[in-house]
Amino acid sequence: MLYQVEMVVKPPKEMDASTFDEIKSREKSYSQDLQRQGKWRHIWRIAGQYANISIFDVESHEELHNLLLALPLYPYMDITVTPLCRHPSSIHESDC
């Protein structure tokens, strides 16, 4: 199942830089592991924001939910999830 996930990061202003850097390092490692597994298929930065649009390819709503909850930055994110399905006019068979 494909999902578009928009993540807007809103770290607390009072968080010290070294703590935030450590969280971001764990986030990068976790996200790259999910990309290597094929679960996090694409990630794009939203220009001018501390945000991204990502495409996840997972087996279920529950799997996506659990992956997102495990993001180290999750407590500091606003997340919007949109389920996706193949468009009948698409010429790409890999769109499913």
Side-chain angles (χ1 to χ4, degrees):
M1 300 176 77
L2 296 177
Y3 298 88
Q4 174 188 293
V5 179
E6 181 176 347
M7 299 176 224
V8 179
V9 181
K10 296 181 177 182
K13 292 183 186 336
E14 64 275 0
M15 182 181 289
D16 66 272
S18 63
T19 299
F20 192 55
D21 287 345
E22 189 273 328
I23 294 169
K24 288 189 298 185
S25 176
R26 288 189 290 122
E27 180 88 6
K28 183 176 182 177
S29 176
Y30 178 66
S31 70
Q32 289 179 342
D33 183 49
L34 291 176
Q35 289 174 65
R36 282 188 280 279
Q37 292 177 44
K39 294 178 184 291
W40 196 325
R41 284 181 46 177
H42 300 282
I43 182 170
W44 295 277
R45 215 179 245 172
I46 300 174
Q49 298 180 39
Y50 194 170
N52 73 73
I53 298 284
S54 294
I55 303 297
F56 283 80
D57 187 357
V58 294
E59 293 298 317
S60 66
H61 303 315
E62 183 176 6
E63 181 182 12
L64 177 65
H65 178 76
N66 291 332
L67 293 176
L68 296 176
L69 283 176
L71 289 166
L73 285 171
Y74 178 82
Y76 315 109
M77 290 182 175
D78 290 336
I79 298 176
T80 304
V81 175
T82 305
L84 302 173
C85 60
R86 187 174 188 280
H87 194 282
S89 296
S90 176
I91 63 169
H92 302 285
E93 292 300 320
S94 64
D95 284 349
C96 42

